[in-house]
Amino acid sequence: QVQLVESGGGLVQAGGSLRLSCAVSGSIFSITDMYWYRQTPGKQREVVTSITSRGVIYYEDSVKGRFTISRDNAKNTVYLQMNSLKPEDTAVYYCKAYFRGDYWGQGTQVTVSS
């Protein structure tokens, strides 16, 4: 069973920074593709960024140059460094692992005040 636990959300002023972490249980982390999604009320969950098991990275256009995804296979953890945060980044952020199926974390709230 794969379990994901996110941490690092919170309240920050516009222009500030936060770092989210997602710890993954089990021994398959190094061969999983990892994703960060976000969701606001009434909207579909959208992918923000991803990093494959081989290190190929994708960023959604609105976060390019501000967000950085990274992974530490020794710690079974993926990170999302978020800089220059904007009020429109306010959302619940979810971590997802893909290995023969999707595994989701519980989500962590990020609130950016103007």
Side-chain angles (χ1 to χ4, degrees), residues 14-60:
S17 299
L18 283 174
R19 189 175 85 152
L20 306 183
S21 300
C22 174
V24 182
S25 67
S27 60
I28 63 168
F29 180 77
S30 65
I31 56 175
T32 60
D33 296 338
M34 298 299 302
Y35 301 77
W36 285 100
Y37 282 72
R38 65 187 178 188
Q39 187 172 26
T40 54
K43 293 189 176 181
Q44 285 191 330
R45 200 171 292 187
E46 63 176 7
V47 64
V48 175
T49 180
S50 63
I51 183 168
T52 70
S53 60
R54 298 188 177 188
V56 177
I57 292 174
Y58 161 83
Y59 293 106
E60 191 271 328

